[in-house]
Amino acid sequence: SVTFQASSGFSKSVSVKVKATTFPMTGGMFNPSIWEKGTCDEATKTLVTGTYGFGGWKYTNGADISAYRYLVAELGKHNQSAVSFRLFDENNYWSQPAVYDFGNSRRVVVEINNMYKEVAGQQVKLNPAHVYIIGFWSTGGKPIKLNDVYLTNTIE
């Protein structure tokens, strides 16, 4: 709530809703070409990856998401590109990520303290205090309508 009080006694209050996110889908923050050349229409939140491409967010110092219970990724419509949501706890796209396939669903819920990647045939727990790359992998060339990606402590 913001209130303006003039010296004449006039007063005006306005309520403002602010949405802050770790995952803004805006130019300069969202990179549609982390692997292979992709595009993203910010106005429609539509991602098209290159062939076997990846678009999302890179955090130079790693994002600490450990204070939350869930990370939710939602698509705006069903996909036709074998889309998966991936998280990397190493600052290297060629390291092993935790992988969550959308399949026929439009929503993926990641239990943050229960994320695993496969390394040399073994399940290794992902470190939620240092997540460097987060985003969407697809077979490419088809639009992926993104709805939202957010952190939460409750699932609706």
Side-chain angles (χ1 to χ4, degrees), residues 47-140:
L47 168 67
V48 178
T49 69
T51 304
Y52 304 110
F54 187 89
W57 301 269
K58 287 184 82 171
Y59 302 95
T60 305
N61 298 317
D64 182 355
I65 62 173
S66 63
Y68 295 91
R69 291 182 65 198
Y70 305 102
L71 174 59
V72 179
E74 297 174 337
L75 300 178
K77 64 179 185 176
H78 292 290
N79 76 84
Q80 299 176 356
S81 315
V83 178
S84 66
F85 188 67
R86 298 181 179 197
L87 298 96
F88 298 77
D89 65 348
E90 297 178 49
N91 199 4
N92 175 359
Y93 178 75
W94 293 106
S95 64
Q96 295 300 313
V99 177
Y100 301 88
D101 292 325
F102 279 93
N104 292 326
S105 178
R106 290 174 39 185
R107 186 176 199 216
V108 165
V109 177
V110 176
E111 291 183 52
I112 291 173
N113 289 311
N114 199 24
M115 299 183 295
Y116 289 87
K117 59 185 178 178
E118 188 173 319
V119 178
Q122 301 292 317
Q123 294 294 308
V124 177
K125 196 164 191 169
L126 209 78
N127 183 354
H130 301 285
V131 181
Y132 292 93
I133 305 169
I134 300 172
F136 302 89
W137 176 93
S138 86
T139 55

